[in-house]
Amino acid sequence: MQSAMKDFSAIEQKMESAGLSRAAIEAFRHSVETVESGVSGLVPESDILPAEGVEDWESLRAGVPAAPREVLSRTVVIKLNGGLGTSMGLQKAKSLLPIQNGLTFLDLIVRQVRSLRRNARCSVRLLLMNSFSTSRDTLDYLSRYADEGFADAGEVEIMQNRAPKLLVPGLEPASCPGRGDLEWCPPGHGDLYPSLLGSGWLDRLLSEGILYAFVSNSDNLGAQLDLKLLNWFAQSGAPFAMEVTRRTEADRKGGHLAARRSDGRLILREVAQCPEEALGEFQNIEKYKYFNTNNLWLRLDALKEYLDSHGGVMPLPVMRNVKSLDPRDPSTPKVYQLEVAMGAAVECFQGARAVCVPRTRFFPVKTTSDLLLLRSDAVQISEDGSVALAPECGGRAPLVSLDARYKFVDSLDRLGVPSLKRVRSLTVRGEHTFQPGEALEGDVVAAP
């Protein structure tokens, strides 16, 4: 193989021609050089220990007051809003999905920030990290809130970068004449860091006196800015904090939090980073108890200092996904889509913390099963945009599993939305129709 610098020149030229920032280019250079170096990225069992010292939020709440106005006024809410939800048959921003009473994820995000501003009588900035696929739809939708300052791209938007797909083997930029869009892929939500830096937003926020950032996915309605959690983070002095929650049997195959044996720093280990012989321990939810909710707290001055001292690059582990250049045509060349995860930055910061939060702060919508739950009476949405489980649920969300025929969002219309607040689990097999609000209870299997 030719030298890394020579190999990267074609990639660099392609990214420069697309108008990507120097920060985005250098971050991708790190990813490519990581792959070229032959580093496997595997984290063997001998290198880690179970994470210790994870704070329990329920215990913390009793002794932590809500953040005062001066702390809240120095805080920005950042929502990752780059996903289209194609796995559910969508061709628009997932955050535009209607949930209840015509309200979308975006409506609830706006309501939450509006409520913070009103109650604290101070400005709380909202930033949406949009992608090229979601920017126009998102800003068009937000025009209904233009008089409140939520629709100006210059005030609410960070643009996510994009990364070239690379040929396997060779790591050369892939070409698809006539379909240039197929030559690019999302870089993963770890792109938050070069996007903040390269866009100028990091310097701008710091110049405005904003010190704290709460970051979460726009499709996670449980991720609301908690004033006590904000105050805890501010008082802790930590540069970085991650909200984790307890793994259950359903989370055995998902990534987990651990501590690096060599220096005690917290790290994330995803299943792709686990050697095959360690999969049994990886799935041991009593040993590795916590997973990342992707709700993160950042000290922006610490982030700036770290990036300045590391050439503007956050050296995150690289995930190498092998795909077809055209996802709809398996005969097209195989390509690498290199991605990085923003939570992996926990290992970069000395003094990073983790806090175990209730599962109610983790309400992601990845499937139509998740969406049906949110549309049901098991989830209550307040006027201020806050989301909570109905009291009848006893603090535990019903487990919903839908037949594959309901994979796409439009199929939910013919299924109907029953009452789920007294349900432990709902399994739908085959064609079925519920009456609106149909009362269900316990463990329910619905079949023809």
Side-chain angles (χ1 to χ4, degrees), residues 49-324:
L49 297 166
E52 301 291 344
V54 175
E55 306 272 5
D56 178 69
W57 177 233
E58 294 299 336
S59 300
L60 287 176
R61 285 186 67 87
V64 178
R69 180 181 178 184
E70 56 267 26
V71 172
L72 183 58
S73 66
R74 305 189 73 187
T75 302
V76 58
V77 175
I78 302 177
K79 294 289 184 178
L80 306 185
N81 193 53
L84 284 177
T86 51
S87 63
M88 294 191 289
L90 297 176
Q91 293 301 321
K92 61 181 180 180
K94 189 195 296 186
S95 59
L96 297 181
L97 269 173
I99 307 164
Q100 294 182 20
N101 302 317
L103 296 174
T104 68
F105 292 89
L106 272 181
D107 289 313
L108 299 188
I109 290 168
V110 168
R111 287 188 177 196
Q112 290 170 11
V113 174
R114 177 200 285 158
S115 177
L116 288 169
R117 292 176 177 178
R118 182 175 59 246
N119 293 338
R121 300 185 305 282
C122 67
S123 176
V124 179
R125 186 179 280 284
L126 169 67
L127 290 178
L128 299 169
M129 191 165 101
N130 289 328
S131 66
F132 292 94
S133 300
T134 63
S135 177
R136 175 173 293 183
D137 285 344
T138 296
L139 294 172
D140 285 349
Y141 190 86
L142 287 174
S143 63
R144 66 191 61 193
Y145 299 108
D147 60 340
E148 299 178 68
F150 287 109
D152 182 349
E155 296 297 324
V156 301
E157 183 176 67
I158 308 175
M159 279 299 294
Q160 178 182 318
N161 295 302
R162 51 182 177 167
K165 296 179 183 179
L166 305 179
L167 292 172
V168 179
L171 295 179
E172 297 175 354
S175 176
C176 190
R179 288 295 309 276
D181 58 307
L182 292 178
E183 299 174 3
W184 300 88
C185 62
H189 41 64
D191 182 60
L192 171 69
Y193 308 113
S195 290
L196 277 170
L197 181 63
S199 66
W201 264 113
L202 180 55
D203 287 335
R204 178 176 171 182
L205 292 170
L206 287 169
S207 71
E208 293 175 356
I210 296 177
L211 192 59
Y212 311 107
F214 173 56
V215 187
S216 60
N217 296 331
S218 64
D219 69 346
N220 179 9
L221 292 183
Q224 304 157 65
L225 191 150
D226 184 293
L227 293 179
K228 288 192 171 187
L229 193 47
L230 168 60
N231 207 23
W232 167 80
F233 179 64
Q235 292 180 4
S236 74
F240 184 104
M242 171 185 291
E243 294 184 36
V244 299
T245 196
R246 288 296 298 260
R247 297 169 85 197
T248 67
E249 286 296 324
D251 308 309
R252 283 165 51 85
K253 296 182 180 180
H256 65 78
L257 186 70
R260 194 159 54 201
R261 189 182 293 270
S262 61
D263 59 11
R265 288 200 185 187
L266 295 172
I267 68 167
L268 289 180
R269 181 170 70 163
E270 303 292 346
V271 68
Q273 297 172 282
C274 182
E276 187 174 352
E277 65 272 14
L279 284 176
E281 288 299 273
F282 179 90
Q283 296 181 14
N284 184 342
I285 63 175
E286 294 304 320
K287 180 176 183 179
Y288 298 113
K289 300 176 181 179
Y290 308 104
F291 75 85
N292 171 28
T293 65
N294 231 31
N295 301 344
L296 304 180
W297 298 82
L298 308 176
R299 278 276 303 235
L300 295 180
D301 56 347
L303 175 60
K304 171 71 172 172
E305 181 181 352
Y306 185 93
L307 290 172
D308 284 349
S309 63
H310 288 78
V313 174
M314 188 75 71
L316 303 177
V318 181
M319 291 173 278
R320 310 162 208 193
N321 302 308
V322 178
K323 308 277 187 178
S324 298

Side-chain angles (χ1 to χ4, degrees), residues 342-365:
M342 73 176 181
V346 68
E347 69 181 74
C348 297
F349 292 98
Q350 181 68 40
R353 306 280 287 274
V355 55
C356 184
V357 298
R359 194 82 178 207
T360 50
R361 287 189 61 80
F362 185 64
F363 261 134
V365 175

